[in-house]
Amino acid sequence: MRLIEVYAEEFGCLLDRRFSFWGGINLIEGKNESGKSTLLALLRFLFYGFPKKGAADREERDRRLSWRGRVAAGSLLLEWQGEYYTVARRYAIRGTLGHESGAEVLKVVYAESGKDVALEGKTPGEFFMGLPAELYDSSLCVRQSDLARVSEGGTGEAVGELLFSGDGANAERAERILQNLRRDLQHQRGRGGRIAELEDRIAATDAALTKAKEGAAELLQIRGDIARYGGQIAEKNRELEAVNAALVRLDAEKKLAAYEEWHRARAAEATALAEYDRTKAEQAGRISPDGAFFDRINGALREHARASDARERLRAEMLTLREEQFSEDLLAACEVVDAQGGAESLYRHAEEAQGKRRSLRRAALICLISALLLSIGFLLSPLLLIGTGVLLLLSLLFLLRSGSHNNSLRGILAALGAETLPELKELLEQCRTERERHAAHGEQRKATERAYADADAHCRALFEGICYEFSALGARELPTTPEAAARMLDELYRMSGEAQHELARVNTQYERAKGIREALGAQLDPNAEAALRAACAAAPATTESETHLQGKRRFLVESIEGLVRKRAESERAESALVATVRDPSLLRAERGMLANELEQARARADAVNLAIAALSEAREDLRSSVTPRVAAVASPLFSELVGGAYRGLLIGDDFSVTLETATGPHPLSGFSAGCRDAAHLALRVGLLETVTRERVPLLMDEAMARLDDDRALAFLKTLQRYAAQGQCLLFTCHGRERRMLSEIEAAYHHMVV
């Protein structure tokens, strides 16, 4: 058996953790409180669940519940005898404090197929390892704080029971079963049990047999009366059948009259249907528009009328726009302005010409005044005369330049017919306004003309659609105007109404005939008519009236009921007698069976007594051989662990340990803690070698904490040999084990938690 993976869903401090293991030695290192002991407790929980004995076990359960909630859950994947299995267990606390209860769910399945494994009433630990929980704790699960458990409690008793049972059955339970069988058969003190019961039943059967013979004659007479009443009832029933046959003939004749009326209704229905089909065929050759056709044409005519109104409004608007007038002078002036670079550019040039003209005239005036002033003082200096001449020339030059700009300004004003700049500005604004109005008018006119064209096209399309509808209907002549289409539609509506009225008339006539036929047919079964006519022909004719036959039937029914009551009374009397008087032959057979059963019970009681004695003797012999077998394995191993310091171990029937020293045997309690731990470790390994059929995983939690280095190294070598064909999980918080495993070159899988 090999552990492969453990998943701690919620268990103590472990939450959603997975741990994978390998064959051989698995060294699991971790600091204190890292979860090593919790992982070991999870394995025990998966194999056996929580202990259920007392307060200490309840404390263990509370310690292992999830820190997140009152739940413990996990799963284990293992290999056993070449198959892979999954063991999953979940335990949850429900209820409030003081009223809480635990609910546990265990599921063991084949890992590959997912099918459930039949545990046969065993725990997973008992099923896979063959160990009850007590031996699990005192053998393969080794905790440093619990090493001595192998020598305490009921370990010896549990081992003896396990070895004695072989197939897992409990020897004490087998003895209890045998004792119960013996008590069932025969009490040891006083009278009782199955044997005494059978003796009493045989005596009671003899008394009942005598009484049964007396009641047999009376039962025979009652059964004769029942047979006589039965014959009279049969004769009356034959007479009643003849009366019922005559009544059936009369009833059949009345029903056949209803069938005749139904046949006439069917013929009337067929005639009405033929007239309906003829009318429908005649109307099929005519133009027969449906309601949708009229709706489409009416809708199209209404749409055409609205489109025509819209078209006429657009025509009037278009004519109004064509008659609107604009100022040709202003439009011509706009062209001149555009030729001059635009209104802003033209006005800016005019302002610049006027400004330059004014500036030049002002400069000429200044030069002229300066020349006049200099000419007054030329007598003082001839040079002033030259300055005066220069100023006059400049004044003349400025005047000429101002005249040029004046001509330019006049040309701009004359081109637009204005005399001053304000007039020019006003004229330019009028030109802009007239141009914008003319452009807007042009856009509106184009839009109106396009809308008119669209409306006209829409009117034509609508009328063409109307004509297409008449053409698709099969009309020989098509309308030329909407008014003509409306007249044709009215005529078609009138003709269609007349045709529908005629068709509705013949359809109503057909439906009425059909309703009459269905009303008559609902009360009749067409398939039963032939049988009814045959029954009428087979029934004998009668001249009696229906009233006379009904009275005769009532008399016969009452007579039969009276006879039936008498027969029922006799049958009840028979039942009462049968209930109290038993069949003598059955009683004789029953007595023979009871006598045979009594003989078998006495033989079985003798066999059970022999089995109880043999079982007790065999169990005592086997238990006395358990401890020598365990000591044969544990004693050499202990000598190896202590380096030959002691000769070996002596193991008592209760698994108490005594060391064999050079001076004689001494109790284990008188030796050091390391020596005691070595002895207990050897005893556990020897116990596993004795009680298990195959190598089971060995679980060690700080098991070597109190061993010195030499003894720890020797025990690791022992584990190495054990794990070579099995598996060992070695939990530690120190590095000594890893170092020693490296020294002896042992193969191991290292894991840190």
Side-chain angles (χ1 to χ4, degrees), residues 721-738:
R721 291 193 300 271
Y722 184 90
Q725 297 179 351
Q727 188 180 39
C728 176
L729 273 59
L730 187 58
F731 295 83
T732 180
C733 61
H734 305 288
R736 183 177 69 162
E737 287 82 354
R738 177 158 43 92

Side-chain angles (χ1 to χ4, degrees), residues 664-721:
H666 292 279
L668 182 62
S669 59
F671 293 86
S672 66
C675 183
R676 293 197 301 271
D677 286 356
H680 290 141
L681 287 172
L683 182 57
R684 283 176 179 262
V685 174
L687 181 59
L688 284 178
E689 295 284 352
T690 303
V691 301
T692 57
R693 300 187 183 94
E694 61 177 278
R695 287 293 174 91
V696 295
L698 192 57
L699 312 178
M700 297 284 179
D701 184 15
E702 300 292 354
M704 297 179 291
R706 297 193 295 187
L707 299 183
D708 58 32
D709 289 349
D710 293 337
R711 293 179 179 180
L713 185 61
F715 187 68
L716 284 176
K717 293 179 181 179
T718 300
L719 291 182
Q720 183 181 14
R721 291 193 300 271

Side-chain angles (χ1 to χ4, degrees), residues 240-262:
L240 182 62
E241 288 176 359
V243 172
N244 287 334
L247 289 172
V248 167
R249 172 66 181 263
L250 294 177
D251 184 64
E253 290 175 352
K254 289 193 293 183
K255 290 182 178 179
L256 286 176
Y259 275 103
E260 294 297 334
E261 185 178 359
W262 177 62

Side-chain angles (χ1 to χ4, degrees), residues 434-448:
E434 190 69 12
R435 171 180 285 178
E436 291 177 354
R437 194 167 68 85
H438 184 267
H441 175 269
E443 292 296 329
Q444 185 179 4
R445 181 175 174 180
K446 290 179 182 179
T448 304

